[in-house]
Amino acid sequence: MKKIGRSKGFALTALVVAMSCAGAAQAGITDKDILDDQITTDDVVSNGLGPRGQRYSPLDTLNTENVKELRPVWSFSFGGEKQRGQESQPMVKDGVMYVTGSYSRVFAVDVRTGEELWEYNARLPDGIMPCCDVINRGVALYGDLVIFGTLDAKLVALDKDTGKVVWKKTVADYKEGYSLTAAPLIVKGNIITGVSGGEFGVVGKVEAYDAKTGDIIWTRPTVEGHMGYIWKDGKKVENGLSGGQPGQTWPGDLWKTGGAATWLGGTYDPETDLMFFGTGNPAPWNSHLRPGDNLFSSSRLAIDPDTGKIVWHFQTTPHDGWDFDGVNELISFDYEEAGQTVKAAATADRNGFFYVLNRENGDFIRGFPFVDKITWAEGLDEKGRPIFKDGGRPGNPADAEDGGKGESVMSAPSFLGGKNWMPMAFSQDTGLFYVPSNEWAMDIWNEPISYKKGAAYLGAGFTIRPMNEDYIGVLRAIDPKSGQEVWRYENYAPLWGGVLATKGNLVFTGNPEGYLMAFDAKSGEMLYKFQTGSGIVGSPITWEMDGEQYVSVVSGWGGAVPLWGGEVAKRVKHLNQGGSVWTFKLPKDS
């Protein structure tokens, strides 16, 4: 951990911040602060600008009339040679920004000046095995703690004022392929975390830890047949199997290394008191080895935050053979239909379909394609189950005469998905979802594979290619009631960053070419763009201070695309890496 700038200037800045907070800093972050995050505009204390993850702000000082005047006020560099993908969403509280960088680093920054207050660098072992770059998507705030996960699968709690370690807990064994990349979720004083590592045959899980002490509360595996546990009076007690009997939807013992990693984290709906977590691909990718639905892979799970029990599940891709992880965020929202309020939740899946579910019981309401081309399925049935297309699945290696790879198929979307991890936003004003998506295809084939601890467990090969000369990325405005695409913005490179919607009728996102962009939420007209110097694959935020509205975004090209992207990676090979956070506001006379 490194401290910087502890000078008279820093002391004066800290005094100003403390005075402006009028004692609020001493109280620390409470559960109420997190639940109210969407309506309290002077801070950002949850990933998603509220536990439901809508990424909507009621601020409208910045709007379609004046956004063209938006100006940078400071840029903070993460420094050094540790660049790579920067997928973090910053947090802001009491004049301090908390933001993570690649290689499991945390920075505290004075939001008035952009001066670094402290920095924490995790000491990572040499043997970490991150699938898709050395990224981190952000911290959680609770009490006086800043909490985040590391690439060697640890939860670390830091003192918010000094950056010193308060506690540290091991969540899983990194030598088996586990890591932590998501921002933790805080629910009722507990830290809720998932795990990464689905490409290594891990067993996905969701766990709860006491935020103040780091003590484990419960653990819930997300592969059918594994036992969940709850801790009572310090003792580990069995808490029921996940799903049915071991191997019920899996052949043999493959459920023991079944994947279903919960690598994107979750959202929480206070109305139903349910957490929503998505699960990743089943392992291995070669689906011919594991006939059956392979629960609970490629699914959305509703989980009781008090016990870890799975209340309901919805599987978007049963018997997934294309790496269509189901981790993408499930966002709670309400809408009116036939004079009734529908308590819904929506997700845009990697498989190319957009789903609207009843968030109380997981029932399928409707689903529709949100990308231009889907080759693996003909559509969805009345329960939302995909209707598989003949010839859409890569061939069985066992059918190959030479015992090598199976027949290759062209599949759209590619395994990187119609939408990947990058979070969409929901506007309470327009009723639209703003979805960062991509149009690409892949050639995919299966290969023989056997499990080896800590080794990649795919049993598949692939190449990815664009489907259009002029664009890959598409920012879409989608009506969840009709399935209509209201407008779209096409981007030459893939879109890999999150989206923010505001009451000022604005939609913010960034692109790999380096631009922070603002669009009219109703028409899709681009109203503003600013070059940050490196590709944006983080998620923008907004808040107000001293009556002024600010926007911040992390800049730093990387993530899965340049590592796994095949022909797509060639299209973006000229883009520069980076590592910085930019903050903007209107000039005083606007």
Side-chain angles (χ1 to χ4, degrees):
M1 190 269 291
K2 178 174 65 175
K3 296 180 183 177
I4 290 181
R6 297 289 184 179
S7 61
K8 290 183 180 180
F10 168 77
L12 180 60
T13 302
L15 177 61
V16 171
V17 171
M19 291 175 64
S20 68
C21 296
Q26 285 74 29
I29 304 295
T30 66
D31 293 291
K32 188 175 187 302
D33 292 333
I34 294 168
L35 292 175
D36 291 346
D37 194 27
Q38 191 170 65
I39 59 175
T40 54
T41 56
D42 59 347
D43 57 26
V44 177
V45 296
S46 64
N47 189 271
L49 281 74
R52 291 184 177 92
Q54 291 184 349
R55 297 186 180 271
Y56 168 84
S57 171
L59 286 171
D60 60 2
T61 302
L62 187 63
N63 53 56
T64 54
E65 299 300 317
N66 58 22
V67 68
K68 62 182 179 296
E69 301 299 331
L70 195 63
R71 301 285 192 274
V73 290
W74 54 261
S75 176
F76 170 78
S77 173
F78 296 153
E81 297 178 356
K82 294 180 178 180
Q83 296 189 20
R84 307 284 288 272
Q86 311 293 349
E87 294 186 359
S88 180
Q89 180 216 286
M91 301 283 206
V92 173
K93 180 64 176 176
D94 295 338
V96 179
M97 177 180 290
Y98 304 95
V99 60
T100 58
S102 55
Y103 293 97
S104 304
R105 294 173 292 165
V106 183
F107 302 87
V109 182
D110 186 322
V111 294
R112 296 178 183 274
T113 65
E115 179 184 8
E116 181 175 306
L117 304 179
W118 55 258
E119 175 183 347
Y120 173 81
N121 278 271
R123 295 182 178 178
L124 297 173
D126 292 334
I128 58 170
M129 293 178 283
C131 148
C132 307
D133 209 358
V134 287
I135 59 92
N136 187 282
R137 298 190 177 95
V139 303
L141 303 178
Y142 194 73
D144 294 326
L145 299 177
V146 180
I147 305 153
F148 83 117
T150 67
L151 288 169
D152 59 345
K154 290 181 172 63
L155 276 177
V156 182
L158 308 172
D159 183 285
K160 70 177 179 61
D161 296 321
T162 66
K164 292 182 178 179
V165 175
V166 176
W167 57 256
K168 184 186 298 185
K169 300 289 180 178
T170 298
V171 173
D173 185 357
Y174 73 89
K175 294 179 182 178
E176 295 182 10
Y178 286 96
S179 59
L180 300 183
T181 53
L185 177 68
I186 301 288
V187 179
K188 301 180 184 180
N190 290 335
I191 306 163
I192 315 296
T193 185
V195 293
S196 303
E199 269 59 61
F200 298 95
V202 304
V203 174
K205 60 181 179 177
V206 179
E207 293 187 333
Y209 293 81
D210 184 293
K212 294 181 179 178
T213 65
D215 294 337
I216 191 166
I217 306 297
W218 54 255
T219 181
R220 173 54 52 188
T222 54
V223 175
E224 174 191 76
H226 292 269
M227 179 62 69
Y229 294 91
I230 193 167
W231 275 255
K232 296 181 179 179
D233 301 321
K235 296 182 179 179
K236 182 180 180 181
V237 179
E238 288 188 351
N239 196 28
L241 293 176
S242 296
Q245 297 300 314
Q248 184 168 306
T249 61
W250 294 80
D253 289 340
L254 282 180
W255 60 279
K256 294 181 179 179
T257 52
T262 48
W263 56 265
L264 192 53
T267 58
Y268 172 66
D269 175 43
E271 276 192 74
T272 58
D273 193 25
L274 292 174
M275 304 184 305
F276 304 121
F277 272 74
T279 61
N281 59 280
W285 285 20
N286 182 349
S287 62
H288 299 282
L289 294 174
R290 44 172 176 77
D293 282 357
N294 312 137
L295 292 175
F296 289 100
S297 67
S298 300
S299 300
R300 304 305 189 281
L301 307 181
I303 297 176
D304 183 326
D306 299 319
T307 66
K309 291 279 190 177
I310 296 174
V311 177
W312 58 255
H313 78 277
F314 182 86
Q315 190 171 41
T316 47
T317 314
H319 195 214
D320 184 357
W322 303 268
D323 188 35
F324 289 149
D325 294 37
V327 297
N328 289 357
E329 69 283 5
L330 186 64
I331 297 177
S332 300
F333 73 109
D334 295 341
Y335 67 90
E336 298 296 320
E337 189 168 77
Q340 301 292 320
T341 298
V342 179
K343 295 185 182 301
T347 189
D349 199 82
R350 269 168 66 163
N351 68 20
F353 289 101
F354 191 100
Y355 299 83
V356 180
L357 309 178
N358 181 317
R359 69 177 184 266
E360 296 177 295
N361 55 26
D363 286 352
F364 176 71
I365 296 175
R366 69 182 62 88
F368 46 84
F370 69 94
V371 294
D372 294 337
K373 188 172 185 178
I374 295 176
T375 63
W376 65 277
E378 296 178 354
L380 304 175
D381 68 17
E382 68 278 2
K383 292 188 176 180
R385 190 178 178 90
I387 303 167
F388 293 112
K389 184 174 291 187
D390 290 342
R393 185 181 298 271
N396 189 348
D399 296 336
E401 293 182 1
D402 60 358
K405 70 179 186 180
E407 183 180 358
S408 176
V409 299
M410 191 283 287
S411 179
S414 79
F415 78 90
L416 289 177
K419 175 186 171 300
N420 203 279
W421 82 274
M422 52 279 191
M424 62 186 182
F426 172 73
S427 170
Q428 296 181 6
D429 305 310
T430 64
L432 303 177
F433 281 89
Y434 301 94
V435 183
S437 62
N438 291 297
E439 296 289 340
W440 40 24
M442 64 178 172
D443 294 309
I444 182 170
W445 59 90
N446 289 148
E447 301 169 344
I449 188 70
S450 58
Y451 174 75
K452 181 180 179 181
K453 179 180 175 180
Y457 188 41
L458 300 186
F462 49 83
T463 59
I464 301 179
R465 62 177 184 267
M467 289 196 293
N468 303 284
E469 289 295 325
D470 299 332
Y471 65 94
I472 298 175
V474 184
L475 177 64
R476 290 173 155 99
I478 292 177
D479 186 336
K481 296 172 65 176
S482 67
Q484 178 188 3
E485 181 185 283
V486 178
W487 57 259
R488 64 157 64 186
Y489 165 77
E490 296 171 352
N491 195 79
Y492 180 71
L495 292 178
W496 209 251
V499 182
L500 168 71
T502 77
K503 193 173 183 61
N505 193 37
L506 295 172
V507 173
F508 288 92
T509 195
N511 65 10
E513 290 90 338
Y515 287 100
L516 173 66
M517 302 174 291
F519 300 85
D520 185 301
K522 295 177 181 176
S523 70
E525 179 187 358
M526 186 189 291
L527 303 174
Y528 174 83
K529 68 177 184 177
F530 178 87
Q531 176 58 246
T532 63
S534 183
I536 294 176
V537 293
S539 298
I541 62 168
T542 189
W543 80 98
E544 64 178 347
M545 181 171 61
D546 301 332
E548 296 183 284
Q549 184 177 349
Y550 289 76
V551 174
S552 290
V553 70
V554 173
S555 171
W557 171 236
V561 175
L563 297 177
W564 293 72
E567 292 299 314
V568 173
K570 293 180 182 179
R571 183 177 286 202
V572 297
K573 66 181 180 180
H574 64 286
L575 300 178
N576 293 321
Q577 289 190 335
S580 60
V581 55
W582 288 80
T583 294
F584 305 80
K585 72 177 183 68
L586 294 173
K588 280 284 190 179
D589 57 355
S590 290

